């Protein structure tokens, strides 16, 4: 069994295929909402993003099970936490990848150099050879997973696919061995294709905002009889919306891929995110948009007024909810979302 290599990013900045080509399984650090943040709270103020504190708690407790950890430049919290992890997380290998915020030729050239530097460090530390052929093989496997996820995702709007079922698949995409995952997704595709039609008592919506890393948020939406049929989350469409080019230099292909995926609010130009959401709304009929934001999530808090304003200008019905980082199924949120459902159905 390949040893897991952990990575911490706040969107989908990390190139998993490099770690796969090194013979390890990439595992995204997602925190654990069921575990108190007390260990991390000794080093990080409580008003800092609770998800990032949960990731630090997970790192302090579980680093020994990982071959190494890589950070990618994401939001300000991620960037500043790297220094904290250097002191308090006992990692055998801890590496920072300065992924760019911009999307221009200079940024792409920088990203290319950063990925090649990462490859050299992996090769030296783990005594492996990450060849173009190995990278190409990892890219093909990654594309197989992404293709299957796109086909599965498309079924959400026409079949009875509970929010929890979809979320569990998106989580597996960033935690499981990709070869086994691809086989599992094939079996899941057969299952979902045989499911009953989209239930008439559910209302289709697009969900955007902070990343959803605990299934209880999806349960809240389900309890309000809102069915997520489109999204732009990193545990979601951002992960599989685009395919990596298999015809060009593998590292360059990875750089180009990250310029074509749905962008989080930490990337420039910020209009790219709105463009993707508009394309989703044009492709898939939904009744409304749910913009959910995790408390203390600054990037989405700053992005929210513009995004919501533009979506409403387009004629969309939008619900904005702020949620706590908790596994508790919040009945007040359910009530608010039920009222939204009644307004749009």
């Amino acid at each position: 069994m390949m040893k897991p290599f952990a990575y911490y990013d706040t969107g989908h900045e990390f190139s998993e295929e490099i770690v796969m080509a090194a013979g390890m399984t990439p595992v995204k650090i997602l925190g654990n909402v069921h575990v108190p943040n007390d260990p991390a709270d000794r080093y990080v103020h409580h008003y800092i993003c609770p998800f990032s504190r949960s990731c630090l708690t997970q790192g302090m407790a579980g680093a020994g099970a990982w071959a190494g950890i890589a950070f990618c430049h994401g939001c300000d919290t991620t960037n500043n936490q790297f220094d904290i992890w250097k002191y308090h997380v006992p990692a055998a290998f801890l590496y920072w990848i300065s992924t760019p915020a911009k999307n221009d030729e200079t940024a792409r050239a920088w990203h290319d150099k950063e990925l090649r530097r990462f490859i050299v460090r992996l090769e030296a530390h783990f005594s492996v050879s990450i060849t173009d052929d190995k990278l190409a093989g990892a890219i093909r496997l990654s594309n197989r997973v992404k293709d299957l996820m796109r086909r599965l995702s498309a079924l959400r709007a026409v079949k009875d696919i509970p929010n929890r079922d979809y979320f569990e698949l998106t989580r597996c995409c960033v935690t499981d061995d990709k070869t086994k995952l691809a086989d599992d997704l094939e079996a899941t595709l057969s299952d979902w294709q045989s499911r009953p039609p989209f239930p008439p008592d559910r209302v289709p919506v697009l969900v955007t905002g902070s990343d959803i890393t605990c299934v209880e948020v999806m349960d809240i939406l389900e309890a309000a009889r809102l069915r997520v049929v489109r999204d732009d989350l990193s545990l979601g469409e951002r992960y599989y919306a685009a395919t990596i080019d298999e015809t060009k230099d593998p590292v360059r292909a990875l750089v180009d891929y990250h310029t074509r995926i749905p962008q989080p609010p930490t990337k420039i130009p910020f209009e790219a995110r709105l463009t993707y959401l508009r394309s989703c709304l044009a492709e898939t009929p939904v009744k409304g948009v749910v913009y959910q934001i995790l408390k203390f999530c600054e990037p989405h808090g700053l992005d929210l007024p513009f995004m919501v304003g533009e979506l409403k200008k387009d004629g969309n019905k939008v619900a904005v909810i702020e949620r706590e980082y908790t596994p508790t199924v919040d009945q007040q949120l359910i009530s608010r979302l039920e009222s939204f459902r009644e307004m749009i159905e």
Side-chain angles (χ1 to χ4, degrees):
M1 181 179 179
M2 293 188 291
K3 192 163 186 181
F5 184 101
Y7 65 94
Y8 180 27
D9 62 13
T10 53
H12 178 40
E13 294 87 7
F14 185 68
S15 294
E16 296 179 307
E17 296 75 18
I18 293 174
V19 167
M20 293 161 61
M24 294 178 282
T25 299
V27 176
K28 185 166 182 170
I29 298 171
L30 295 172
N32 187 341
V33 72
H34 299 275
V35 175
N37 282 342
D38 296 346
D41 290 346
R42 288 179 287 172
Y43 310 110
V44 184
H45 286 293
H46 287 206
Y47 60 77
I48 298 297
C49 168
F51 165 70
S52 68
R53 289 187 281 122
S54 181
C55 289
L56 175 57
T57 296
Q58 182 183 356
M60 293 169 67
W66 302 325
I69 306 171
F71 268 63
C72 283
H73 184 140
C75 68
D76 289 344
T77 300
T78 316
N79 306 344
N80 294 327
Q81 276 217 17
F82 179 70
D83 290 323
I84 298 174
W85 284 57
K86 285 192 295 187
Y87 286 100
H88 301 295
V89 176
F93 176 88
L94 186 64
Y95 191 83
W96 169 264
I97 304 171
S98 184
T99 44
K102 289 187 176 181
N103 184 5
D104 55 24
E105 192 54 44
T106 301
R108 290 191 285 273
W110 172 265
H111 195 188
D112 186 286
K113 290 181 180 179
E114 282 291 297
L115 293 185
R116 294 184 193 278
R117 195 174 292 134
F118 179 48
I119 289 171
V120 170
R121 286 293 300 275
L122 285 177
E123 290 179 323
H125 184 85
F126 294 100
S127 300
V128 297
S129 176
I130 302 174
T131 64
D132 284 354
D133 285 344
K134 290 180 180 178
L135 276 172
I139 286 172
R140 286 193 296 272
L141 177 56
S142 183
N143 279 340
R144 182 186 171 202
V145 168
K146 295 177 193 305
D147 176 66
L148 286 165
M149 282 301 301
R150 284 193 295 273
R151 294 166 66 187
L152 285 158
S153 174
L155 294 172
R156 290 184 288 167
V158 295
K159 294 289 187 177
D160 187 6
I161 315 295
N163 296 329
R164 174 178 279 260
D165 289 10
Y166 172 68
F167 175 84
E168 295 294 353
L169 281 192
T170 63
R171 189 179 180 95
C172 288
C173 284
V174 296
T175 58
D176 291 7
D177 172 77
K178 295 296 188 292
T179 301
K180 180 181 182 302
L181 173 63
D183 292 339
D184 290 344
L185 292 179
E186 291 275 10
T188 303
L189 181 59
S190 296
D191 171 39
W192 284 17
Q193 288 172 334
S194 65
R195 296 276 183 96
F198 191 93
D201 66 337
R202 293 294 186 267
V203 174
V205 295
L206 179 150
V207 170
T208 185
S210 301
D211 273 334
I212 297 175
T213 56
C214 54
V215 74
E216 287 80 6
V217 179
M218 288 297 195
D219 290 340
I220 288 172
L221 291 160
E222 193 74 48
R225 291 176 22 215
L226 296 175
R227 186 62 61 81
V228 181
V229 299
R230 294 303 300 263
D231 66 84
D232 68 336
L233 309 176
S234 66
L235 286 187
E237 292 189 31
R238 193 178 305 153
Y239 184 84
Y240 58 79
T243 299
I244 306 168
D245 192 335
E246 298 179 13
T247 65
K248 60 173 62 175
D249 171 80
V251 174
R252 186 64 188 182
L254 291 173
V255 171
D256 291 345
Y257 163 75
H258 283 282
T259 69
R260 293 184 288 104
I261 63 176
Q263 299 295 325
T266 54
K267 301 299 182 182
I268 301 169
F270 63 88
E271 294 92 343
R273 180 160 167 252
L274 178 61
T275 299
Y276 184 76
L277 291 177
R278 281 174 168 160
S279 70
C280 293
L281 292 166
E283 292 168 359
T284 308
V286 299
K287 296 289 189 178
V289 177
V290 176
Y291 194 123
Q292 49 76 42
I293 179 170
L294 178 63
K295 193 171 184 179
F296 301 122
C297 179
E298 291 185 359
H300 283 285
L302 294 169
D303 202 43
L304 187 151
F306 169 77
M307 294 294 295
V308 170
E310 291 300 307
L311 290 171
K312 286 185 176 180
K313 283 180 186 177
D314 292 342
N316 298 290
K317 304 295 184 182
V318 184
V320 178
I321 59 171
E322 184 181 59
R323 59 183 175 84
E324 301 280 350
Y325 188 71
T326 173
T328 303
V329 176
D330 191 324
Q331 292 299 321
Q332 287 186 327
L333 284 184
I334 293 175
S335 296
R336 287 186 56 196
L337 290 169
E338 284 178 330
S339 297
F340 178 64
R341 188 203 73 236
E342 291 171 359
M343 180 181 72
I344 63 177
E345 66 181 345

